[in-house]
Amino acid sequence: MSAEENKTKLAEAREEAIDADANLQLIPLFISYKMGIFNLSHRIVLSPLTRTRSYNSIPQPHAALYYSQRTTNGGFLIGEATGISETAQGYPNTPGIWKREHVEAWKPIVSAVHEKGGIFFCQLWHAGRVSNYNHQPNGEAPISSTDKPISKHPPPRRLGTDEIPTLVSDFRAAAKNAIEAGFDGVEIHAANGYLLDQFLKDQVNDRDDIYGGGLENRCRFPLQVVKAVAEEIGPHRVGVRLSPFTEYNDCIDSDPQALGIYMAKSLNQCGVLYCHVIEPRMISLLQRCDDETSHFSLRPIRKEFGGTFIVAGGYDRNEGNEVIANGGADLVAYGRLFLANPDLPLRFRLDAPLNKHDRSTFYTHDPVVGYTDYPFLHPSYGQLSSSLRCEEK
Ligand SMILES: Cc1cc2nc3c(=O)[nH]c(=O)nc-3n(C[C@H](O)[C@H](O)[C@H](O)COP(=O)(O)O)c2cc1C
């Protein structure tokens, strides 16, 4: 090919790429979005997914491959629930971020995501009463807002009022560590029946101190955590996950709509980057109920929050496009679909077939099986834009 022909071909290819990008902007999930200081190239977020492959709480090198497989240039990823302290753990082999060894182990994993242009937040987690003696230091009882147990777990120890500031400091220190490990920010896990949710919800929180009773008191500790973390790393690097409607881990509130609205208003005042809420239709972690017994919507909560609003729970491609198009959310977090389809943004872009998840491997401990072995689309499937190509490293 002559130099002139080569130049023409390159110009044509460039024009085609520009056209393809312009078309992409017509698909709601692919309209680029500015989330504070972060420029996102699409709206498909990796939902936090516990994968129990961090042996003895230490993140492992194989996590670099797992997250990097799910990274696109300008894509937003939320890491798996990560313990903030020794008392935070509730399952085997979940990662931590409370000691130096954790920070050092996270670094190459975060780097692998950054190398591909991803934006990566660490989900800060304390399991509270969803734990067992063998996950607690010295075999002690797990801690909670209450001493009421949930099934298959030992009775928790009700935290004293004077112990709360230490937990707030633990969250703060964990956030500092996450930034040191290279994460772009943190998501505070106040959902799914774990410690912070155990304070938020009135069917669990039976305290009579300043952390129990009315909405303001029940939200006090979670909001103290948010404020401390925001003070430490800046509110522009802080997101919060809520599930007021979900009953997972026996964590129920009698007025979830009021709880969600109160939290959204308060988070707004804190100036945090995003609010990430699980849909009311998710009656449990993975169980979707579409019989309209759940007549609630996240709209009133979204209305109260001025920052980025992320929704999660049971979304597919069409519903994701719909919720973005009708203004119900800015971003959509995908759990099981992203777990089983490392190249989910590409598949959505091409409307390609999806792999099915294998539930039996969700919480197993193999570094590969059910983790990094889900297949990618065959390279010949469609013309791929480099920004959305997810290549295995
Ligand atoms: C294997 C697995 C692990 C999960 N781990 C977490 C977690 O660590 N933190 C969290 O907030 N949610 C967790 N979830 C919930 C998901 O983030 C998401 O809310 C849920 O899967 C519903 O979304 P989906 O219908 O897109 O899968 C987990 C879900 C699954 C399937």
Side-chain angles (χ1 to χ4, degrees), residues 47-51 79-82 123 125 187 189 191-192 194 241 276 278 282 285-286 312-315 333-339 362-363:
S47 210
L49 294 165
T50 288
R51 307 313 321 281
E80 65 211 89
T82 300
Q123 190 185 49
W125 176 58
E187 175 174 286
H189 194 350
N192 295 343
Y194 297 110
R241 191 171 217 212
H276 178 183
I278 295 171
M282 300 306 285
L285 188 73
L286 305 177
Y315 277 94
Y334 289 90
R336 286 160 292 179
L337 289 185
F338 224 145
L339 187 156
F362 278 179
Y363 302 112

Side-chain angles (χ1 to χ4, degrees), residues 123-386:
Q123 190 185 49
L124 300 185
W125 176 58
H126 194 301
R129 67 176 178 168
V130 190
S131 185
N132 281 304
Y133 299 125
N134 58 347
H135 295 308
Q136 293 299 312
N138 311 316
E140 286 163 16
I143 53 176
S144 182
S145 60
T146 179
D147 50 19
K148 290 180 292 187
I150 56 168
S151 61
K152 297 188 192 145
H153 293 81
R157 181 177 68 77
R158 183 194 301 271
L159 281 162
T161 312
D162 58 344
E163 291 179 277
I164 304 288
T166 307
L167 278 150
V168 174
S169 304
D170 288 344
F171 271 97
R172 180 196 278 265
K176 188 171 183 242
N177 284 347
I179 297 302
E180 203 187 321
F183 283 103
D184 299 290
V186 303
E187 175 174 286
I188 295 167
H189 194 350
N192 295 343
Y194 297 110
L195 183 66
L196 298 182
D197 211 16
Q198 290 159 27
F199 276 78
L200 291 175
K201 290 185 175 160
D202 64 3
Q203 303 302 294
V204 179
N205 184 335
D206 55 359
R207 305 174 70 87
D208 56 11
D209 63 359
I210 56 163
Y211 295 106
L215 257 184
E216 192 183 340
N217 276 5
R218 281 183 281 120
C219 296
R220 189 184 308 279
F221 168 42
L223 288 171
Q224 284 177 347
V225 168
V226 173
K227 283 175 196 153
V229 168
E231 203 179 274
E232 185 67 41
I233 65 171
H236 62 294
R237 295 193 184 276
V238 180
V240 178
R241 191 171 217 212
L242 301 171
S243 61
F245 302 93
T246 304
E247 302 187 353
Y248 187 58
N249 284 324
D250 296 349
C251 213
I252 302 168
D253 195 82
S254 60
D255 192 353
Q257 191 73 275
L259 172 61
I261 289 172
Y262 182 88
M263 279 302 285
K265 277 186 182 164
S266 310
L267 293 177
N268 212 32
Q269 282 166 11
C270 299
V272 298
L273 178 67
Y274 73 78
C275 179
H276 178 183
V277 192
I278 295 171
E279 288 284 350
R281 65 190 179 200
M282 300 306 285
I283 52 171
S284 189
L285 188 73
L286 305 177
Q287 197 185 345
R288 175 173 167 165
C289 169
D290 283 317
D291 66 0
E292 295 312 314
T293 43
S294 177
H295 55 278
F296 288 115
S297 128
L298 295 182
R299 286 278 174 167
I301 300 179
R302 169 162 179 68
K303 215 172 121 232
E304 294 300 339
F305 186 70
T308 296
F309 197 70
I310 310 179
V311 292
Y315 277 94
D316 61 13
R317 182 181 188 270
N318 286 343
E319 284 179 321
N321 278 324
E322 228 168 81
V323 74
I324 300 294
N326 68 28
D330 300 304
L331 306 173
V332 183
Y334 289 90
R336 286 160 292 179
L337 289 185
F338 224 145
L339 187 156
N341 295 274
D343 51 358
L344 188 68
L346 176 65
R347 289 177 192 250
F348 274 2
R349 184 198 156 187
L350 301 172
D351 206 4
L354 299 173
N355 301 324
K356 296 231 174 325
H357 64 257
D358 176 0
R359 197 172 174 153
S360 70
T361 59
F362 278 179
Y363 302 112
T364 49
H365 310 305
D366 194 273
V368 176
V369 179
Y371 192 55
T372 55
D373 61 347
Y374 281 104
F376 287 72
L377 268 184
H378 191 271
S380 67
Y381 199 101
Q383 290 296 307
L384 315 183
S385 134
S386 64

